[in-house]
Amino acid sequence: MSASVWEEVAPLLRNRTFTDLTHAFHPGQPHFSAFPDETREALFDMEKGDGFTAHRYSIVGQWGTHVDPPSHFVRGGRTLDQIPVEDMMLPLVVLDISHRVRNDADATPTLDDVRQWEARNGAVPNGAFVALRTGWSKHWPDASAMANRDDDGISHTPGWSQEVLRYLVEERSVAAVGHEQTDTDPGMATSRQDFSLETYVLAQDRWQIELLAKLDELPESGAMLIATWAKPLEGSGFPARVFAIH
């Protein structure tokens, strides 16, 4: 009789570290300014004598650590229920630019950053999830610090660059990307209502996770990412539970 899947997998997980990359969401947290805040109501509450506790949550799909499927920006793009579960377990690449962000809040990754990563670790794996580590999640849940606006209202936050995203998608065929900030595009771009980088990623039939946490606790290569979310029919985004095994 062949071994069960669990019997095969359990030894591989023994002594591994599980790192939760997800912020717990709540009313008043940082979010895209055009979206309303979360509201929640206890419909039943054991503290008030009910036999059980149940809450009603009112949130937009893009709330807290969340997944954006192609349909978020692309007409006819895949929706959340169309992303197969086997695509939610991916090799994890961490691209670290946090050292530059400490001195320049507008920093973005360069092709040289990727080439240096590949010189140390080999080519970015096909079908990988690439997470941009900026250190920005340390500002959570301070909405003002996350937006980092100057006196003219311009946001100064790090983000991706077009050259790096094109390389990862077109040369390395990554499955998805993620980042610690609220947006794919740097703050100076989103302040001009420029979301061209997010549009590019989703138009390539990739998905992404925004507002990741604890990327500083991960190795730059060798980990596995697990990303899960609810399955709303034709869903255009939803809070996600994301973790790494390393």
Side-chain angles (χ1 to χ4, degrees):
M1 181 176 179
S2 61
S4 69
V5 171
W6 179 249
E7 288 174 326
E8 294 180 358
V9 172
L12 301 177
L13 298 178
R14 193 172 298 126
N15 299 321
R16 293 289 185 176
T17 299
F18 290 70
T19 300
D20 191 346
L21 307 179
T22 315
H23 293 293
F25 65 78
H26 56 86
Q29 69 177 21
H31 59 278
F32 182 56
S33 60
F35 293 155
D37 197 2
E38 171 190 344
T39 60
R40 62 175 69 178
E41 174 189 4
L43 300 180
F44 298 91
D45 191 342
M46 287 187 290
E47 296 300 320
K48 295 182 179 179
D50 296 323
F52 58 92
T53 296
H55 289 86
R56 175 164 55 195
Y57 303 88
S58 177
I59 56 173
V60 294
Q62 281 69 24
W63 192 250
T65 303
H66 66 270
V67 57
D68 291 325
S71 65
H72 179 42
F73 268 35
V74 180
R75 187 185 300 273
R78 282 191 300 168
T79 55
L80 288 182
D81 53 305
Q82 294 173 329
I83 298 175
V85 292
E86 55 265 33
D87 289 356
M88 299 178 186
M89 303 172 60
L90 304 172
L92 177 59
V93 168
V94 178
L95 190 61
D96 185 5
I97 64 166
S98 60
H99 54 292
R100 290 209 304 276
V101 173
R102 283 192 289 269
N103 298 314
D104 178 11
D106 300 308
T108 61
T110 66
L111 278 180
D112 189 55
D113 293 320
V114 181
R115 292 190 181 105
Q116 289 184 35
W117 189 98
E118 293 191 320
R120 294 188 299 269
N121 303 288
V124 172
N126 182 281
F129 183 101
V130 182
L132 182 64
R133 180 187 167 198
T134 60
W136 210 251
S137 62
K138 71 180 184 295
H139 297 306
W140 185 273
D142 185 331
S144 177
M146 288 289 288
N148 194 33
R149 298 187 184 278
D150 62 23
D151 292 341
D152 296 320
I154 304 300
S155 178
H156 295 276
T157 65
W160 287 93
S161 65
Q162 185 179 66
E163 64 174 2
V164 166
L165 286 174
R166 285 192 177 276
Y167 179 81
L168 293 174
V169 170
E170 298 173 21
E171 300 296 327
R172 293 295 181 254
S173 297
V174 303
V177 298
H179 43 270
E180 299 176 67
Q181 308 80 242
T182 305
D183 296 293
T184 315
D185 297 80
M188 288 198 298
T190 61
S191 294
R192 304 190 304 271
Q193 299 303 302
D194 176 1
F195 300 95
S196 56
L197 298 184
E198 182 167 0
T199 301
Y200 169 76
V201 169
L202 301 182
Q204 304 309 303
D205 196 34
R206 269 59 176 187
W207 51 273
Q208 66 172 19
I209 301 287
E210 296 193 302
L211 292 168
L212 287 166
K214 297 184 179 179
L215 294 181
D216 59 331
E217 298 183 14
L218 305 179
E220 67 175 4
S221 68
M224 179 171 69
L225 178 121
I226 312 292
T228 66
W229 51 81
K231 192 179 178 181
L233 184 65
E234 300 181 351
S236 60
F238 216 83
R241 188 67 180 267
V242 187
F243 64 96
I245 305 174
H246 54 103

